[in-house]
Amino acid sequence: MKPLRWLAGSLLWIVAGLLGLVGALLSITVILLPLGIPLLMLARRVFTLSARLVVPRSARHPVDEADKAVKRRGKKLDKAARAGKKDIGRKGRKAMKKARASLPSAVEAAAPRSRRGLLDRVGIRGR
């Protein structure tokens, strides 16, 4: 699936480049300016679409991916709690410690540039 997305993204990138070139050439002439400007805007949208096809989901939606990581850790904690009352305290503390430790690294891997703002939005302090 990934090679098809990369192929589609690269083809769209080439199409967007050609649309941008034609739009720029049409914008040079004053008479064809009303045709050139919409073509340039269309080229920008196609460039955005091609970039979306190439970039992985975790980089496009880092908050959603962090939410999924927290939910997975919560499910593990729930299973530990249902396993037995004797080990709840130890397993619960261990699962929560793992959740706190892995979430900042998961968010950092998803979006390293916006890590601090993202962690603040999620409500977790970084290391």
Side-chain angles (χ1 to χ4, degrees), residues 78-95:
D78 187 40
K79 285 181 184 178
R82 291 173 195 255
K85 293 182 180 180
K86 185 177 177 183
D87 295 332
I88 288 177
R90 182 172 168 265
K91 286 185 179 179
R93 284 191 301 272
K94 192 174 180 181

Side-chain angles (χ1 to χ4, degrees), residues 67-124:
D67 287 344
K68 285 181 184 178
V70 169
K71 285 178 185 175
R72 272 182 266 153
R73 294 292 180 181
K75 286 180 183 178
K76 286 183 181 180
L77 178 62
D78 187 40
K79 285 181 184 178
R82 291 173 195 255
K85 293 182 180 180
K86 185 177 177 183
D87 295 332
I88 288 177
R90 182 172 168 265
K91 286 185 179 179
R93 284 191 301 272
K94 192 174 180 181
M96 287 307 293
K97 187 184 277 188
K98 280 185 180 179
R100 278 191 226 112
S102 68
L103 186 62
S105 62
V107 171
E108 183 178 288
R113 291 183 186 162
S114 63
R115 178 177 177 253
R116 181 166 300 271
L118 188 61
L119 289 176
D120 289 340
R121 259 187 275 151
V122 174
I124 295 175

